[in-house]
Amino acid sequence: MLTERELQISPTVQESVLHNTKVLTTLHNLTASLFGVGAGILGLESYPGFLFYFLFSLLTSVLVYAFRVRPGIIKEAQSSGSSGMQRYFRGSMELWTGGLIEGLSGFVLTWTLFYGLVRA
Amino acid sequence: MTWISKSVTGLGLLFLAHACYSAYEHSALHSTSTASLSSTAAHTAITSTSSSLPIDISIETLVAVFTVCLGLVLGTPELRPIQWRVWAGQIEREGEAGFTNIDGQVDKDYVGNPFRVLESRPGFVDIRKQRKEFAEWVREGGGIDEAKKS
């Protein structure tokens, strides 16, 4: 966690933090219901279904890292010293595990819906 | 970038719909065939329908989910640097071009340089020079009275 002293030395932009969090939350909500559709079609039950969700959420985070975070880091590394994930997020866990809990309800919703639809 | 993400997402959704319909048809066909084959062994029929999905439908579902996911990630707006120095440097270097959304328009919450007011303010007023001018004007006898007389 950032202390007040570190915040004064290198201040953060609140609007950008909000923007990044909003982008991640929207993406995770959308993809969670999509993964529910996939799990329902595959007919997964109990633990394999949740494992499916966690694996694909991690895959989404990897894709975000590859397509959105990585180009910025590379571009910055050419101009000045590299700073990694600190450029876009306060901590790296914010990207990897940020949207897991928010998307879980949407996932279970569409999972049960499509499980019932396909195996009527 | 926008048409790429939209086409990839649409392709993935098409695959997903096809996989869903295939799974539905398979389960319907499987349940009717097993029910007609063995009406006595109802228990085994139920267990076999839940476990046996053909491998091609499974693979199609996984590929479709991955494709839609890729399309959605490609469609997300650019992230913004949260450190003030990096963010301000990007504003100085790129201006509005660095904060456009996918459609090529500037984002609604783009604020620009937060110190623009400070950069365009007038310089300091030389109050001593103004006092000197005022003193000369008074020494000449006041401009307004002369202006009235003449």
Side-chain angles (χ1 to χ4, degrees):
Chain A
M1 216 51 214
L2 287 176
T3 62
E4 191 175 352
R5 183 181 171 79
E6 287 172 2
L7 272 179
Q8 279 183 346
I9 292 173
S10 57
T12 59
V13 191
Q14 283 304 316
E15 290 96 22
S16 296
V17 175
L18 275 179
H19 177 261
N20 290 353
T21 317
K22 198 182 75 183
V23 167
L24 268 193
T25 312
T26 313
L27 180 71
H28 271 116
N29 278 331
L30 271 177
T31 51
S33 42
L34 173 77
F35 301 151
V37 175
I41 291 173
L42 287 177
L44 302 174
E45 290 170 354
S46 74
Y47 288 123
F50 288 106
L51 197 67
F52 179 88
Y53 171 67
F54 286 122
L55 278 182
F56 269 92
S57 292
L58 199 66
L59 184 72
T60 312
S61 296
V62 170
L63 284 177
V64 170
Y65 182 80
F67 284 106
R68 286 288 174 261
V69 178
R70 196 69 200 161
I73 293 177
I74 290 173
K75 198 164 65 179
E76 190 193 20
Q78 290 172 352
S79 59
S80 65
S82 61
S83 65
M85 197 74 83
Q86 300 295 318
R87 182 181 159 96
Y88 294 117
F89 300 105
R90 279 169 296 187
S92 55
M93 294 317 276
E94 202 170 324
L95 171 66
W96 299 114
T97 63
L100 277 183
I101 305 301
E102 284 91 356
L104 201 59
S105 56
F107 170 73
V108 173
L109 183 75
T110 52
W111 182 18
T112 48
L113 172 71
F114 271 81
Y115 189 89
L117 277 180
V118 169
R119 282 157 187 76
Chain B
M1 188 59 91
T2 168
W3 63 271
I4 294 179
S5 81
K6 273 179 185 162
S7 55
V8 168
T9 313
L11 191 72
L13 285 177
L14 208 67
F15 276 142
L16 196 66
H18 182 249
C20 186
Y21 185 67
S22 306
Y24 172 72
E25 285 292 312
H26 174 261
S27 78
L29 186 72
H30 198 74
S31 61
T32 51
S33 67
T34 48
S36 63
L37 273 175
S38 58
S39 57
T40 54
H43 184 70
T44 54
I46 290 171
T47 51
S48 65
T49 47
S50 62
S51 63
S52 69
L53 193 68
I55 187 71
D56 54 345
I57 299 180
S58 304
I59 290 175
E60 188 180 14
T61 310
L62 290 178
V63 168
V65 167
F66 176 76
T67 313
V68 179
C69 191
L70 182 70
L72 288 177
V73 169
L74 286 178
T76 53
E78 288 283 338
L79 299 173
R80 291 183 194 162
I82 64 167
Q83 287 165 324
W84 191 291
R85 52 184 183 85
V86 182
W87 176 72
Q90 188 180 354
I91 285 180
E92 284 296 318
R93 262 180 280 113
E94 303 173 9
E96 287 187 346
F99 292 89
T100 51
N101 52 17
I102 298 175
D103 300 330
Q105 295 164 337
V106 180
D107 280 337
K108 283 196 284 292
D109 50 349
Y110 169 73
V111 287
N113 187 358
F115 301 116
R116 203 191 304 114
V117 180
L118 292 183
E119 286 176 359
S120 63
R121 68 180 172 182
F124 289 109
V125 176
D126 194 352
I127 195 83
R128 287 173 177 273
K129 189 182 171 192
Q130 285 193 346
R131 195 182 74 170
K132 201 180 288 177
E133 285 173 0
F134 179 72
E136 276 178 19
W137 177 73
V138 168
R139 209 181 305 128
E140 286 168 5
I144 300 173
D145 294 343
E146 286 181 3
K148 273 182 183 174
K149 281 173 187 171
S150 65

